[in-house]
Amino acid sequence: MILDKLLGNQSVIISLDVDNLLFERLQQIADAGFSLVEINSTDTKLLAQTISQYPSIKIGAAGIIEVQQLEHCYHAGVHFATSPGFLPTIAQTANIYSMNYLPGVATISEAMAAMSLGYKYVRPFPADLAFCTVLNKCLPNLKLFPAEIEWEEAEYFLNLPTVASVGINNPDKKQLNALAASILA
């Protein structure tokens, strides 16, 4: 499955921390009409539980820092995985599994290294508008999925031609409804 197909017409990936509100937030996300959620965890039991409990949501694992974590998350059935940085061994393993994977990049060199391994999608992390603008200018064929954007800044990032989707971290119910009204409408 290619990331474009996974993303569909949705321009937001909701990113959730694991806390006692996780399942309440997942229900709010489903109710608001969002279908992509990354869980900031590599706990395979938790990921498998969320996939089973919320079949309408495509669940991703965030925070992959080792090949073994990626493999375990793949076997848990995640729809995609993200990492905070770029390691060729993780990227190559994701390719072997034909897994939807968004490597984190913090420099143009890392973005170029990801492209050299065949990646057309990267996750600027930590993302800021200036860095995404530079990536947009220098690497216009690369699709960007900036992570941990403040929900009120989403439209600025989405105005860049290469930004395919933004990651919003732990939105509350009011923010989810505002996002749904402006982005999913």
Side-chain angles (χ1 to χ4, degrees), residues 36-47:
L36 285 173
V37 174
E38 70 176 343
I39 307 293
N40 292 320
S41 175
T42 58
D43 178 333
T44 55
K45 288 181 183 176
L46 175 68
L47 293 167

Side-chain angles (χ1 to χ4, degrees), residues 58-101:
K58 295 172 183 99
I59 302 291
I64 304 290
I65 58 170
E66 300 172 347
V67 169
Q68 189 175 24
Q69 288 175 323
L70 181 79
E71 291 174 332
H72 289 282
C73 290
Y74 171 80
H75 292 296
V78 298
H79 298 92
F80 65 100
T82 66
S83 61
F86 176 74
L87 284 179
T89 54
I90 294 174
Q92 291 164 338
T93 302
N95 279 339
I96 290 168
Y97 286 108
S98 298
M99 188 174 187
N100 287 315
Y101 169 64

Side-chain angles (χ1 to χ4, degrees), residues 1 6 45 80 100 115 121 134 146 177 181:
M1 183 184 302
L6 180 72
K45 288 181 183 176
F80 65 100
N100 287 315
M115 289 176 71
Y121 308 90
V134 168
N177 292 334

Side-chain angles (χ1 to χ4, degrees), residues 9 33 43 57 75 102 107 109-110 116 126 169-170:
N9 64 354
D43 178 333
I57 298 176
H75 292 296
L102 290 167
T107 66
S109 295
E110 287 178 339
S116 76
N169 201 41
N170 295 321

